[in-house]
Amino acid sequence: MPAVTVENPLTLPRVAAPAEAVARPVLAVTTAPSGFEGEGFPVRRAFAGINYRHLDPFIMMDQMGEVDYAPGEPKGTPWHPHRGFETVTYIIDGIFDHQDSNGGGGTITNGDTQWMTAGSGLLHIEAPPESLVMSGGLFHGLQLWVNLPARDKMMQPRYQDIRGGNVQLLTTPDGGALLRVIAGELDGHQGPGITHTPITMIHATLAPGAEITLPWREDFNGLAYVLAGRGAVGADRRPIHLGQTAVFGDGGSLTVRADEKQDAHTPDLEVVLLGGRPIREPMAHYGPFVMNTREELQQAFDDFQKGRLGTIPAVHGMSEGGL
């Protein structure tokens, strides 16, 4: 798992929750079901079964892989539309190309994040480069959907390419954890991702036996998803492992601990920590569109079918019928 790292975490700024911070209780631990997305790459549906009031402003999150492809096996998605939200694609291992009907796109690889604000709508494709298809190899990443408030749903689309070297790196007082702040801020340390809906997104690596108790904004929700390894969450050390999500209640700090023994192929506990200010607006979600009302959803489908969300660049020789 070669996402951005350092040899000695103790050279980094250190963060810890103040002693008086109220610990967030763990409301639930859920297990992500497995499935397939796009042209057939394996995913875990991290937020399946969690009530939206605990997720808001997040809509869904898929863990893509971890999978070691044989030559010819790597897969992506066909062209597809989006409207009304932001997608955050974080590549931990491997490489992905992305392109949209507005001329945006690029390549993201180990530790990089591509932040796409779909806004009023566009067509989008994500695929492994031809070199990876030919060679095969390891692929592992996340895709997170972040809702937009009604006032921003029809804004102009935009991209942010966040290179792994630009994330804010932090540690805990004992150096037992590496914290990568991708978006938002933690204890005054700002990550590079700029969001319309205030959120914090952190990829934390905890050495065996390490514990983190981090300050957490009281106006944000709190979620922890395990990418690899096993450990515990909350002051009462509720067990959690690969493919599980912890939902935290109210408070000013959250705690995650790595088990003393990890699996041989997973030396550390890898966890994604998410928090955001709830939008608290009605949500109408169907397929690739996230709006406020059913009427707006229908309008999005109509606009897509009439070509108003853009057209696929002819160079690909593909048609919208592949959706």
Side-chain angles (χ1 to χ4, degrees):
M1 192 169 288
V4 184
T5 189
V6 294
E7 277 194 27
N8 181 9
L10 288 173
T11 62
L12 301 172
R14 307 180 197 188
V15 297
E20 66 273 14
V22 175
R24 286 177 174 249
V26 177
L27 303 181
V29 173
T30 64
T31 300
S34 297
F36 292 91
E37 186 54 81
E39 296 170 337
F41 58 84
V43 298
R44 287 186 174 93
R45 307 284 191 195
F47 295 161
I50 301 174
N51 190 299
Y52 180 64
R53 67 189 175 91
H54 297 310
L55 297 177
D56 185 12
F58 307 111
I59 301 162
M60 57 159 277
M61 186 169 72
D62 285 347
Q63 180 180 10
M64 306 179 293
E66 181 177 2
V67 57
D68 197 356
Y69 284 119
E73 285 187 342
K75 299 175 176 68
T77 68
W79 283 95
H80 55 283
H82 287 307
R83 172 180 279 181
F85 63 101
E86 302 182 276
T87 66
V88 182
T89 306
Y90 175 48
I91 299 299
I92 300 166
D93 288 292
I95 187 168
F96 230 26
D97 289 338
H98 54 94
Q99 184 181 8
D100 73 24
S101 53
N102 281 1
T107 299
I108 47 176
T109 187
N110 303 337
D112 294 342
T113 302
Q114 178 254 317
W115 207 294
M116 185 183 78
T117 303
S120 60
L122 42 65
L123 305 180
H124 186 233
I125 189 171
E126 297 156 305
E130 188 64 24
S131 60
L132 180 63
V133 175
M134 296 296 289
S135 67
L138 194 61
F139 181 77
H140 190 198
L142 279 180
Q143 187 167 94
L144 171 70
W145 290 16
V146 185
N147 204 1
L148 287 169
R151 68 177 181 273
D152 293 330
K153 283 194 177 295
M154 297 299 287
M155 68 175 292
Q156 281 292 110
R158 75 169 184 185
Y159 269 112
Q160 298 172 72
D161 275 316
I162 302 169
R163 297 300 156 188
N166 292 333
V167 301
Q168 174 70 63
L169 299 179
L170 307 170
T171 191
T172 46
D174 64 359
L178 176 61
L179 309 171
R180 306 169 188 87
V181 184
I182 297 168
E185 62 90 25
L186 180 65
D187 199 28
H189 300 278
Q190 192 74 35
I194 301 167
T195 63
H196 293 277
T197 302
I199 73 164
T200 293
M201 180 179 183
I202 296 166
H203 174 191
T205 300
L206 284 73
E211 181 173 288
I212 58 174
T213 298
L214 302 178
W216 211 249
R217 281 182 50 166
E218 295 193 15
D219 60 336
F220 278 19
N221 61 355
L223 302 160
Y225 176 75
V226 178
L227 292 164
R230 58 186 64 250
V233 285
D236 57 354
R237 296 191 177 180
R238 189 159 172 179
I240 193 170
H241 59 72
L242 166 65
Q244 291 190 315
T245 301
V247 180
F248 290 90
D250 295 338
S253 71
L254 55 78
T255 296
V256 179
R257 179 181 174 83
D259 283 358
E260 296 280 356
K261 286 192 73 172
Q262 299 290 332
D263 301 329
H265 66 283
T266 306
D268 303 307
L269 173 65
E270 305 282 350
V271 61
V272 172
L273 304 173
L274 294 168
R277 182 191 297 157
I279 296 173
R280 296 193 176 96
E281 293 177 353
M283 184 184 71
H285 172 204
Y286 189 81
F289 305 122
V290 182
M291 306 303 292
N292 292 98
T293 67
R294 291 179 62 86
E295 291 76 19
E296 290 169 345
L297 275 184
Q298 186 60 56
Q299 184 64 55
F301 274 103
D302 291 347
D303 288 347
F304 167 58
Q305 291 168 348
K306 292 174 181 175
R308 295 176 186 142
L309 300 191
T311 56
I312 295 168
V315 66
H316 282 260
M318 301 170 64
S319 71
E320 291 177 28
L323 179 71

